[in-house]
Each structure stands twice: as C-alpha cells, then as structure tokens.
Amino acid sequence: MKEQSARKKIVFWLRVSGWLCLLPAAAWLYLFRIMIGHQYLFLIEVFLIVIFAVYILTTADSERWQKPDNIFKLMMFAIIFVSVIDFFTLWFAYNASRKLNNH
C-alpha cells in the first residue's frame, strides 16, 4: 500500500513539474518579445524548456522515475537549464522515490 502511494506521489510531482515549465517558458517568450538583438537565444531556451516539459509529461508513468538517480539527473538539468521552480517540485519526487526504494 505504501509503495502504491509513493508511486502516485512521484507521478504527481513529475506532472506538476512538467506543467510548471510553462512559467519559465512564458518568461523567455516575454523577453523574446521585448528584446531587439540576439532573439534566437531566447527561442533556443524556450525550445529546450518545451522539450523538457514534454519529456517529463510523457514519461511520468514510466518505471525509470522510481530510481532516485534518474530523478536526480533530471533535477540537475532543471536547475541549470530550466528553473528553480521545477527543481523544487522534482525534489519532492526525488524524496518520494528514495522512500520507495528504502522500503
């Protein structure tokens, strides 16, 4: 029963993280709109965030996210390239994954 609950928590936090990617993507689109030079850098960042969000949302039910090492790699990518908001939601999924693997 606890394993089922931990798996649901992992999936929930992964989906929240995927949907919260809309916030930094919207911020980068706003910067794209107001900046005059080097606009392609903003579009590259938006593209990267969208691919990251799609990847998380489509693979949230996968068994690979029940291993803490995989979520940790995702967390590091999120804090470097996406946003701190996604890092914190992935941290909750990481904690649930560690609890699942400790029992």
Side-chain angles (χ1 to χ4, degrees):
M1 187 70 172
K2 288 187 178 183
E3 289 180 9
Q4 185 76 12
S5 175
R7 286 187 179 113
K8 285 183 180 181
K9 286 181 184 178
I10 293 168
V11 171
F12 171 77
W13 285 114
L14 285 171
R15 287 183 179 161
V16 168
S17 178
W19 285 108
L20 281 178
C21 286
L22 292 175
L23 295 175
W28 284 109
L29 280 175
Y30 178 74
L31 288 173
F32 170 73
R33 196 180 79 185
I34 64 171
M35 297 300 276
I36 298 197
H38 305 295
Q39 291 180 341
Y40 62 91
L41 292 175
F42 298 117
L43 287 180
I44 291 170
E45 187 65 30
V46 169
F47 180 73
L48 184 69
I49 292 171
V50 168
I51 294 299
F52 179 76
V54 169
Y55 176 68
I56 290 176
L57 289 172
T58 56
T59 62
D61 292 329
S62 176
E63 294 289 324
R64 74 179 309 192
W65 301 125
Q66 295 177 18
K67 296 179 183 175
D69 293 338
N70 291 336
I71 296 179
F72 186 77
K73 291 173 188 173
L74 201 63
M75 286 170 46
M76 291 302 109
F77 184 84
I79 200 164
I80 293 170
F81 295 109
V82 182
S83 73
V84 176
I85 296 170
D86 289 318
F87 172 79
F88 285 120
T89 55
L90 288 172
W91 182 73
F92 291 127
Y94 176 73
N95 284 335
S97 178
R98 279 190 7 197
K99 288 178 185 178
L100 176 68
N101 287 317
N102 286 338
H103 293 291

